[in-house]
Amino acid sequence: FSRRLQREHAATFVGGLCSDLAHKNAESIAYHFGLERKAMQHFVGESTWDDEPVRRELARQIGEQLGTSDGVLVFDPSGYPKSGKESVGVARQWCGRLGKVDNCQVGVYLGYVSRRGHALVDGELYLPEEWTKDRARLKKAGVPTTKQKHRTRHTICLELLQRHGKQLPHGWITGDDELGRPSEFRQKLRDLKEQYLFAVPCNTLFRDWEVPPPESHGSGKPRVRPTVRADAWTAAQPASAWQRIDVRDAEKGPLIVEILSRHVQTSRKTRAGAAEETLVVIRYRGRDQAIVKQDYYLSNAPSTTPLAEFARVAKAEHRIEECFDRGKGEAGLADYEVRNWVGWHHHQTLSLLASWFLNIETRRAEK
């Protein structure tokens, strides 16, 4: 912040985000503190302060206070339903919050999870391709020239990793099946020497590397192992293949999951080429012992990795939802009323600060 008034507005805005206001936008926060509405709206939506140094400092503090060598970086897109066409990045696209394709904006976020706690670190707005093809629309929304080229959600994830990876001690990277599906993305993480466990769809194809290939007959080409869908392969596994693990502490009661892993070959027909990975399957049972959920993951960790470790990382992937619940429910992450690029990122930055403040105070109270 280059001016004293900007620093004062920042403190006021974060205070409003931590308050009990029902709607935590610039207007309601200004009125809450008896301030002029336009001044606060200008501070968030137009004022020329740089939010990137603030986010770097936030990442440094999170790494310092929560960091462990086996920490987990979690990537996750999150949607914000929006009407109209003027808000930057808004388009008809998948909105996880609604569970369907609808008019919304999507932010791509980086979270950090360790045995010490979990927090949202950073996030950036995703621009659909239809936006990056319309220069006039980009200019009107104030999108910087360096951000106007179309970037996939996976590209944004890699940029967030490059920006903060060294500040956040970690042994794993994880994310949902939207991020885990492309083999090229997993290949790039392998090239970066990063260890991952990514969710993948149930129809993911692979070759079971732990069964011998079919015998060859005659002088033709050697026969290869057949490809199989993850869900079909899982259904054929005997009960003895599963291991039961408790993945939740006693505070909320035990949560027992069943898990198995397999050394497999994937991506044979993709641009990334064949890769040896570990398939991990985790299933959950209800009170009546019926299977209520089954998740599939691919990892570049050795197949000898303890199943309990895979279960821990998979649990960390779900922790990001708790971060979003706090950010949206308590710190106004989704309450912005801005249309341009600067305003969106300013509001997100201040909301991430408010979430981190609440995180610190909660842990202090627990001690």
Side-chain angles (χ1 to χ4, degrees):
F1 304 109
S2 58
R3 300 192 300 276
R4 177 182 59 82
L5 190 58
Q6 288 178 326
R7 292 193 292 273
E8 291 176 357
H9 282 334
T12 299
F13 199 86
V14 173
L17 292 170
C18 292
S19 73
D20 59 357
L21 283 169
H23 301 290
K24 299 178 180 181
N25 52 48
E27 182 177 1
S28 61
I29 289 174
Y31 290 157
H32 180 69
F33 290 104
L35 301 175
E36 174 61 40
R37 167 181 59 88
K38 290 185 178 180
M40 192 63 69
Q41 288 175 329
H42 179 269
F43 166 71
V44 176
E46 300 176 47
S47 184
T48 55
W49 56 274
D50 189 356
D51 52 42
E52 286 196 14
V54 182
R55 294 173 189 233
R56 286 197 298 269
E57 171 61 16
L58 175 60
R60 187 196 68 78
Q61 289 190 22
I62 291 173
E64 182 180 80
Q65 296 190 35
L66 302 184
T68 61
S69 60
D70 62 353
V72 184
L73 302 184
V74 186
F75 292 113
D76 196 17
S78 184
Y80 300 89
K82 289 289 175 182
S83 58
K85 300 179 180 180
E86 296 299 319
S87 296
V88 61
V90 70
R92 286 191 60 79
Q93 53 192 323
W94 176 259
C95 181
R97 196 173 182 185
L98 299 176
K100 62 179 181 179
V101 173
D102 208 335
N103 219 46
C104 66
Q105 294 168 300
V106 173
V108 179
Y109 292 87
L110 167 63
Y112 185 75
V113 181
S114 75
R115 303 174 196 275
R116 296 179 180 176
H118 45 281
L120 285 177
V121 179
D122 200 351
E124 187 161 316
L125 185 66
Y126 166 72
L127 291 178
E129 198 165 2
E130 65 185 73
W131 266 84
T132 56
K133 292 179 178 179
D134 190 337
R135 296 298 174 187
R137 200 180 188 191
L138 291 170
K139 183 177 180 180
K140 184 177 180 180
V143 179
T145 54
T146 56
K147 304 291 186 178
Q148 292 185 3
K149 184 179 178 181
H150 179 66
R151 295 173 299 152
T152 66
R153 299 178 189 190
H154 297 85
T155 299
I156 295 175
C157 289
L158 293 172
E159 291 176 358
L160 290 172
L161 173 62
Q162 182 180 24
R163 191 181 306 164
H164 300 301
K166 292 182 179 179
Q167 292 179 299
L168 301 168
H170 63 280
W172 293 88
I173 295 178
T174 188
D176 64 15
D177 60 359
E178 177 190 348
L179 298 177
R181 182 185 296 110
S183 56
E184 292 84 358
F185 179 58
R186 304 196 308 272
Q187 177 63 57
K188 288 179 180 178
L189 290 174
R190 291 196 294 272
D191 293 342
L192 293 171
K193 309 301 181 186
E194 295 284 356
Q195 184 170 253
Y196 60 78
L197 177 74
F198 272 97
V200 293
C202 66
N203 62 355
T204 299
L205 298 174
F206 64 85
R207 301 179 190 273
D208 188 340
W209 220 240
E210 295 185 27
V211 300
E215 292 185 12
S216 297
H217 300 286
S219 59
K221 292 183 179 180
R223 300 181 68 184
V224 298
R225 300 170 178 86
T227 58
V228 61
R229 281 174 53 127
D231 52 359
W233 178 89
T234 301
Q237 299 310 301
S240 59
W242 297 88
Q243 180 175 323
R244 290 168 63 85
I245 295 176
D246 184 351
V247 296
R248 188 164 68 192
D249 55 35
E251 181 182 345
K252 295 183 179 179
L255 175 61
I256 306 296
V257 302
E258 296 174 338
I259 180 172
L260 58 75
S261 67
R262 197 76 162 186
H263 183 202
V264 301
Q265 183 192 62
T266 61
S267 314
R268 188 177 180 86
K269 294 184 178 180
T270 67
R271 254 184 292 177
E276 291 188 36
E277 296 180 276
T278 299
L279 172 74
V280 178
V281 185
I282 301 177
R283 68 187 186 188
Y284 304 79
R285 293 186 182 272
R287 292 183 179 179
D288 59 357
Q289 293 304 302
I291 298 173
V292 296
K293 186 182 180 185
Q294 196 157 269
D295 294 330
Y296 305 87
Y297 300 87
L298 284 175
S299 174
N300 62 334
S303 57
T304 54
T305 301
L307 293 178
E309 179 67 357
F310 283 132
R312 181 185 73 86
V313 179
K315 176 188 174 184
E317 191 254 324
H318 296 300
R319 286 290 198 188
I320 194 76
E321 295 304 326
E322 296 178 24
C323 295
F324 283 129
D325 287 344
R326 163 160 277 177
K328 294 178 180 180
E330 300 179 24
L333 193 70
D335 290 346
Y336 57 88
E337 291 184 353
V338 292
R339 290 185 173 181
N340 61 32
W341 176 275
V342 168
W344 192 91
H345 286 85
H346 280 180
H347 183 101
Q348 295 290 302
T349 298
L350 296 168
S351 182
L352 292 174
L353 288 181
S355 295
W356 178 234
F357 173 79
L358 295 173
N359 187 307
I360 292 171
E361 291 303 299
T362 299
R363 287 184 290 111
R364 186 185 316 209
E366 289 172 351
K367 295 177 181 178

